[in-house]
Amino acid sequence: MRTRVQQSIHIDATPGRAYAYCLDPEQLFAGDPKHVVESSTSPDGVGTTARLSRSAGVMEEDDRLEYVEVVPDERIDIAMQPTMSFSRWEHPRHETALYTLSHVFEPERGGTRMTLTVMVHDPPLYERLIDRFEGRGPDRLVHDRLQRIKEAVESGTATA
């Protein structure tokens, strides 16, 4: 397993508020290029599932997510299995390497230091080459997601 992206942000809210917001995949991925198609939440977080979808040119990506480990007010780990396919074809979908999205919430200066680490498990050579072509794209995606979470939690628009 290797770290693909790791970024942090300060949120002017308690770790509990930031954590509660991220327990809902509809909120966590709100505004992402990958939109939530369906989700099912679990009261304690573990077992929450979602399916994300995104079209980019001729490619379609469909991600299945499951909240696999949850430590209240401290951490949420999500397993993500992406599949890729060509748009508008009757086609089998190709599963790519498994990802883990780890969200850590730590008290910091009266607020929260939220860190998102995206790890990829044993990517084959062609996926590592695609990573090089993507350049800083995944970094921007994580940065933008953290900014949206910060704004929603601080503004009180979070429904959690």
Side-chain angles (χ1 to χ4, degrees):
M1 176 169 43
R2 71 179 179 88
T3 298
R4 177 74 171 95
V5 178
Q6 183 175 48
Q7 291 185 27
S8 297
I9 196 164
H10 178 83
I11 300 173
D12 288 325
T14 64
R17 276 191 49 208
Y19 163 86
Y21 179 84
C22 294
L23 276 179
D24 181 351
E26 297 275 347
Q27 294 181 142
L28 180 61
F29 295 98
D32 269 22
K34 297 178 186 181
H35 64 280
V36 175
V37 176
E38 60 189 18
S39 67
S40 173
T41 59
S42 169
D44 67 352
V46 174
T48 290
T49 59
R51 190 168 67 88
L52 306 177
S53 181
R54 175 175 95 156
S55 292
V58 299
M59 296 301 294
E60 290 181 358
E61 184 175 348
D62 189 59
D63 301 342
R64 291 182 316 274
L65 307 174
E66 182 176 358
Y67 286 48
V68 293
E69 189 170 348
V70 174
V71 179
D73 301 340
E74 293 180 18
R75 191 177 77 245
I76 299 172
D77 289 342
I78 300 172
M80 180 176 81
Q81 178 62 71
T83 58
M84 303 294 288
S85 63
F86 288 104
S87 301
R88 300 182 206 100
W89 287 23
E90 292 298 323
H91 48 354
R93 294 191 170 278
H94 170 72
E95 287 190 351
T96 66
L98 180 68
Y99 283 76
T100 298
L101 311 176
S102 183
H103 305 76
V104 176
F105 310 90
E106 301 171 291
E108 178 185 70
R109 299 186 324 267
T112 301
R113 166 69 41 194
M114 180 179 168
T115 302
L116 172 54
T117 304
V118 178
M119 294 163 283
V120 60
H121 302 258
D122 304 319
L125 177 61
Y126 73 90
E127 285 184 36
R128 292 193 308 267
L129 292 172
I130 290 171
D131 281 352
R132 289 182 184 251
F133 288 124
E134 286 183 326
R136 309 254 343 137
D139 294 300
R140 283 190 301 274
L141 180 74
V142 167
H143 172 80
D144 291 348
R145 182 177 303 148
L146 290 172
Q147 283 296 131
R148 284 190 300 272
I149 292 167
K150 173 184 175 64
E151 290 168 12
V153 172
E154 289 179 353
S155 72
T157 59
T159 60

